[in-house]
Amino acid sequence: MTTANIVVLATGGTISSTASTTSHEHTNNGLSPSLSGEDLLRTLPSDHPFVVQKNATIHVNNVYHKDSSQLLPTDIDRLTDAVLTALDAGATGIVVVHGTDTLESTALWLQLVCPLAHYHCPLAITGATFAADSSTPDGPQNLADALSYVTNPQAESTVKIVFGGAILPAWGALKLATDQRTAFASVCPANATSTGLTELLVDMPIHPIPRLSVNTPLVRIVTVDFGDDGSLLRLACEPSGAVPVRAIIIEALGSGNLPAATATVLHELRTTYPEIIFVVTSRVPLGPVSALYGCTGGGADLAAAGIPLIKNLRAPQCRILLLALLQAGYSTAQILSLIHISEPTRPERI
């Protein structure tokens, strides 16, 4: 039996957090990352098939120890470099241990920029809902499941979220719960085991490999509700000092609908700010965005005006996608030409 060569990249998160450790960044008794990747490996369930079989050599790289809500662009670049180094060193599988707050964002970034298929190397990203010193920690099982996945000869050379017994593709994933072991879901759960969720013509990995920490533009998210007058959308177009706004993701209602007043402002802003990419997704966790409703601001109305409706990504992952393309040097026009624009569809007869 061939021994797998696995690299574990530890970055902190709840899976490595305890309530008993304090630091200069934590002045109360709240949770903070304290366990290393080596510590986490010592917690694996002794009866888990991966542990029992012992058919892998594991190398640990403690990339950083952070709550994932505190990540900076430089941290994502460091993690990207760690993945690339592991690939070049001959890893046959990579496991990223990560906090859950931004796990789906990091997962999609790594899917977009890392040449996993070229190296025939699967990557699993995992974490935990409950802290390492809680009465019911779920991290040990999740980590063991992730290690088991990347040692499976049938594992795909893509990024998968391995969490709470589920294996989800990076594309279309979202955090659905803060207090459940099954914390993540797919926007299109019927296709959760498929990698064919992309609706874009962009080739992955994106070349050149983008860096997040160099001249990072602003990509903002604006959420709307009924009666919205579009004023927040106007404000979102304003730069922050010398940092320009290059894209705005609008979290619309339902399957991708905006109040009429917001839609009117959006049409105006697209003319005023031709350099800004405006895309629409939904604030609803599950289900596709679709060009269905024909009222002013409805999905069909927006699609007819050429406004991209991002079918299978929610706002955080839309932001990651646009940042990756922008940082790789794609122009506004090129990005808009790559994004799939949903065609109007007729509702089924009842």
Side-chain angles (χ1 to χ4, degrees), residues 33 53 72 75 134 144 180 198 235 284 289 296 328 332:
Q53 293 169 7
L72 299 172
D75 296 318
S134 71
Q180 303 294 322
T198 177
L235 289 173
V284 180
V289 174
T296 301
T332 297

PDB file of all heavy atoms in Angstrom, residues 33 53 72 75 134 144 180 198 235 284 289 296 328 332:
ATOM      1  N   PRO A  33      -7.590  31.154  19.658  1.00  0.00           N
ATOM      2  CA  PRO A  33      -6.787  30.032  19.150  1.00  0.00           C
ATOM      3  C   PRO A  33      -5.552  29.806  20.009  1.00  0.00           C
ATOM      4  O   PRO A  33      -4.791  30.739  20.280  1.00  0.00           O
ATOM      5  CB  PRO A  33      -6.409  30.491  17.736  1.00  0.00           C
ATOM      6  CG  PRO A  33      -7.424  31.510  17.376  1.00  0.00           C
ATOM      7  CD  PRO A  33      -7.745  32.214  18.662  1.00  0.00           C
ATOM      8  N   GLN A  53      -5.917   2.864  10.151  1.00  0.00           N
ATOM      9  CA  GLN A  53      -5.162   2.382   8.994  1.00  0.00           C
ATOM     10  C   GLN A  53      -3.719   2.867   8.982  1.00  0.00           C
ATOM     11  O   GLN A  53      -2.830   2.170   8.500  1.00  0.00           O
ATOM     12  CB  GLN A  53      -5.872   2.831   7.711  1.00  0.00           C
ATOM     13  CG  GLN A  53      -7.223   2.157   7.521  1.00  0.00           C
ATOM     14  CD  GLN A  53      -8.031   2.783   6.401  1.00  0.00           C
ATOM     15  OE1 GLN A  53      -7.536   3.642   5.666  1.00  0.00           O
ATOM     16  NE2 GLN A  53      -9.290   2.375   6.282  1.00  0.00           N
ATOM     17  N   LEU A  72      -6.553  39.050   7.315  1.00  0.00           N
ATOM     18  CA  LEU A  72      -6.209  40.165   6.451  1.00  0.00           C
ATOM     19  C   LEU A  72      -5.796  39.631   5.080  1.00  0.00           C
ATOM     20  O   LEU A  72      -5.486  38.432   4.940  1.00  0.00           O
ATOM     21  CB  LEU A  72      -5.058  40.960   7.063  1.00  0.00           C
ATOM     22  CG  LEU A  72      -5.313  41.583   8.437  1.00  0.00           C
ATOM     23  CD1 LEU A  72      -4.025  42.165   9.000  1.00  0.00           C
ATOM     24  CD2 LEU A  72      -6.398  42.650   8.354  1.00  0.00           C
ATOM     25  N   ASP A  75      -2.788  37.514   5.112  1.00  0.00           N
ATOM     26  CA  ASP A  75      -2.946  36.153   5.630  1.00  0.00           C
ATOM     27  C   ASP A  75      -3.371  35.195   4.524  1.00  0.00           C
ATOM     28  O   ASP A  75      -2.892  34.048   4.458  1.00  0.00           O
ATOM     29  CB  ASP A  75      -3.977  36.131   6.764  1.00  0.00           C
ATOM     30  CG  ASP A  75      -3.549  36.933   7.973  1.00  0.00           C
ATOM     31  OD1 ASP A  75      -2.365  36.846   8.349  1.00  0.00           O
ATOM     32  OD2 ASP A  75      -4.391  37.659   8.535  1.00  0.00           O
ATOM     33  N   SER A 134     -14.488  22.434  24.755  1.00  0.00           N
ATOM     34  CA  SER A 134     -15.912  22.355  25.085  1.00  0.00           C
ATOM     35  C   SER A 134     -16.265  20.931  25.487  1.00  0.00           C
ATOM     36  O   SER A 134     -15.462  20.009  25.324  1.00  0.00           O
ATOM     37  CB  SER A 134     -16.760  22.779  23.885  1.00  0.00           C
ATOM     38  OG  SER A 134     -16.700  21.801  22.855  1.00  0.00           O
ATOM     39  N   ALA A 144     -10.273  14.365  11.305  1.00  0.00           N
ATOM     40  CA  ALA A 144     -10.051  12.983  10.884  1.00  0.00           C
ATOM     41  C   ALA A 144     -10.767  12.695   9.563  1.00  0.00           C
ATOM     42  O   ALA A 144     -10.222  12.023   8.679  1.00  0.00           O
ATOM     43  CB  ALA A 144     -10.519  12.023  11.971  1.00  0.00           C
ATOM     44  N   GLN A 180     -24.484  24.489  15.093  1.00  0.00           N
ATOM     45  CA  GLN A 180     -24.776  23.130  14.652  1.00  0.00           C
ATOM     46  C   GLN A 180     -23.507  22.462  14.132  1.00  0.00           C
ATOM     47  O   GLN A 180     -22.641  23.112  13.536  1.00  0.00           O
ATOM     48  CB  GLN A 180     -25.831  23.137  13.526  1.00  0.00           C
ATOM     49  CG  GLN A 180     -27.127  23.819  13.894  1.00  0.00           C
ATOM     50  CD  GLN A 180     -27.888  23.087  14.983  1.00  0.00           C
ATOM     51  OE1 GLN A 180     -27.911  21.857  14.990  1.00  0.00           O
ATOM     52  NE2 GLN A 180     -28.491  23.832  15.890  1.00  0.00           N
ATOM     53  N   THR A 198     -19.986  25.822 -11.389  1.00  0.00           N
ATOM     54  CA  THR A 198     -19.582  27.112 -11.947  1.00  0.00           C
ATOM     55  C   THR A 198     -20.448  27.494 -13.139  1.00  0.00           C
ATOM     56  O   THR A 198     -20.764  26.677 -13.985  1.00  0.00           O
ATOM     57  CB  THR A 198     -18.108  27.099 -12.365  1.00  0.00           C
ATOM     58  OG1 THR A 198     -17.806  28.357 -12.958  1.00  0.00           O
ATOM     59  CG2 THR A 198     -17.813  26.000 -13.362  1.00  0.00           C
ATOM     60  N   LEU A 235     -23.898  55.378  -1.475  1.00  0.00           N
ATOM     61  CA  LEU A 235     -22.756  55.553  -0.583  1.00  0.00           C
ATOM     62  C   LEU A 235     -21.672  54.518  -0.845  1.00  0.00           C
ATOM     63  O   LEU A 235     -20.482  54.800  -0.703  1.00  0.00           O
ATOM     64  CB  LEU A 235     -23.217  55.485   0.870  1.00  0.00           C
ATOM     65  CG  LEU A 235     -24.029  56.663   1.394  1.00  0.00           C
ATOM     66  CD1 LEU A 235     -24.551  56.378   2.798  1.00  0.00           C
ATOM     67  CD2 LEU A 235     -23.201  57.943   1.382  1.00  0.00           C
ATOM     68  N   VAL A 284     -31.108  35.316   0.612  1.00  0.00           N
ATOM     69  CA  VAL A 284     -31.660  34.021   1.027  1.00  0.00           C
ATOM     70  C   VAL A 284     -30.542  32.982   0.988  1.00  0.00           C
ATOM     71  O   VAL A 284     -29.825  32.891  -0.009  1.00  0.00           O
ATOM     72  CB  VAL A 284     -32.820  33.604   0.093  1.00  0.00           C
ATOM     73  CG1 VAL A 284     -33.392  32.262   0.528  1.00  0.00           C
ATOM     74  CG2 VAL A 284     -33.904  34.677   0.099  1.00  0.00           C
ATOM     75  N   VAL A 289     -30.243  32.016  -7.700  1.00  0.00           N
ATOM     76  CA  VAL A 289     -30.763  33.307  -8.134  1.00  0.00           C
ATOM     77  C   VAL A 289     -31.255  33.128  -9.572  1.00  0.00           C
ATOM     78  O   VAL A 289     -30.587  32.481 -10.385  1.00  0.00           O
ATOM     79  CB  VAL A 289     -29.667  34.383  -8.059  1.00  0.00           C
ATOM     80  CG1 VAL A 289     -30.150  35.697  -8.652  1.00  0.00           C
ATOM     81  CG2 VAL A 289     -29.228  34.575  -6.612  1.00  0.00           C
ATOM     82  N   THR A 296     -40.668  45.859 -12.082  1.00  0.00           N
ATOM     83  CA  THR A 296     -39.516  46.749 -12.076  1.00  0.00           C
ATOM     84  C   THR A 296     -38.588  46.361 -10.922  1.00  0.00           C
ATOM     85  O   THR A 296     -38.992  46.367  -9.771  1.00  0.00           O
ATOM     86  CB  THR A 296     -39.957  48.215 -11.920  1.00  0.00           C
ATOM     87  OG1 THR A 296     -40.812  48.560 -12.994  1.00  0.00           O
ATOM     88  CG2 THR A 296     -38.743  49.138 -11.903  1.00  0.00           C
ATOM     89  N   ALA A 328      -5.979  39.555 -10.598  1.00  0.00           N
ATOM     90  CA  ALA A 328      -5.256  38.885 -11.675  1.00  0.00           C
ATOM     91  C   ALA A 328      -5.110  39.780 -12.897  1.00  0.00           C
ATOM     92  O   ALA A 328      -4.484  39.377 -13.890  1.00  0.00           O
ATOM     93  CB  ALA A 328      -5.960  37.589 -12.061  1.00  0.00           C
ATOM     94  N   THR A 332     -12.729  45.576 -16.085  1.00  0.00           N
ATOM     95  CA  THR A 332     -14.176  45.539 -15.839  1.00  0.00           C
ATOM     96  C   THR A 332     -14.904  44.867 -16.993  1.00  0.00           C
ATOM     97  O   THR A 332     -15.767  44.000 -16.803  1.00  0.00           O
ATOM     98  CB  THR A 332     -14.713  46.962 -15.629  1.00  0.00           C
ATOM     99  OG1 THR A 332     -14.120  47.527 -14.457  1.00  0.00           O
ATOM    100  CG2 THR A 332     -16.229  46.957 -15.480  1.00  0.00           C
TER     101      THR A 332
END
